[in-house]
Amino acid sequence: MLNAINPAMDGNRNIVHTPVALTKANRPVANVKVNEELNDTAQSLAKEMEQTKASVQQLQHISDVLGRRLQFNVNEALGKVVVKVIDPSTDKVIKEIPSREVQQMQIRIRETIGFLFDEMV
């Protein structure tokens, strides 16, 4: 348990600092608010990812019904939809949107930004 300093006056008008144990009751409110906001954000992102996956499944179904060879996936590292155009005769990927290189670059940028913020904190 962390200790905080509790300033108090002694009988001679001197300030005396005494350590006080921090409990749940006297933790700073700012930390609790930040934790609640982080939890809310994480739940919101998880819900958004589920909605994106459901949309991708619907798009895939429509593509199959129309006889087009499109493959819809969610890149979980990016949280974005990736579309592959497939040649029906050879089953080879003709085009990927966004390209694999762009996806990898975006992932590296996110990792770099994460390292930057980890270093600053």
Side-chain angles (χ1 to χ4, degrees), residues 101-112:
E101 293 82 16
V102 170
Q103 293 175 54
Q104 290 172 345
M105 182 180 61
Q106 288 174 334
I107 290 170
R108 278 186 257 140
I109 288 171
R110 285 187 179 189
E111 289 172 351
T112 302

Side-chain angles (χ1 to χ4, degrees), residues 3-113:
N3 290 330
I5 303 298
N6 182 20
M9 302 288 287
D10 67 6
N12 299 323
R13 293 186 172 219
N14 296 321
I15 296 178
V16 177
H17 297 284
T18 58
V20 175
L22 286 178
T23 63
K24 286 184 179 180
N26 63 0
R27 278 189 190 154
V29 176
N31 287 342
V32 173
K33 287 182 181 178
V34 168
N35 287 337
E36 289 174 358
E37 288 177 9
L38 288 174
N39 287 337
D40 291 346
T41 302
Q43 290 174 355
S44 174
L45 288 173
K47 184 183 284 186
E48 188 175 314
M49 181 61 83
E50 289 302 316
Q51 290 173 345
T52 302
K53 286 181 180 180
S55 297
V56 165
Q57 288 175 347
Q58 289 176 348
L59 288 171
Q60 186 66 57
H61 179 69
I62 292 169
S63 170
D64 293 343
V65 168
L66 294 175
R68 302 286 182 197
R69 289 296 310 253
L70 299 175
Q71 184 179 21
F72 298 91
N73 295 309
V74 177
N75 182 324
E76 298 216 6
L78 294 174
K80 293 186 177 182
V81 176
V82 177
V83 180
K84 292 181 183 179
V85 180
I86 300 172
D87 182 358
S89 61
T90 63
D91 284 336
K92 290 187 178 181
V93 176
I94 298 170
K95 186 164 185 124
E96 187 171 0
I97 305 166
S99 69
R100 182 164 300 285
E101 293 82 16
V102 170
Q103 293 175 54
Q104 290 172 345
M105 182 180 61
Q106 288 174 334
I107 290 170
R108 278 186 257 140
I109 288 171
R110 285 187 179 189
E111 289 172 351
T112 302
I113 289 172

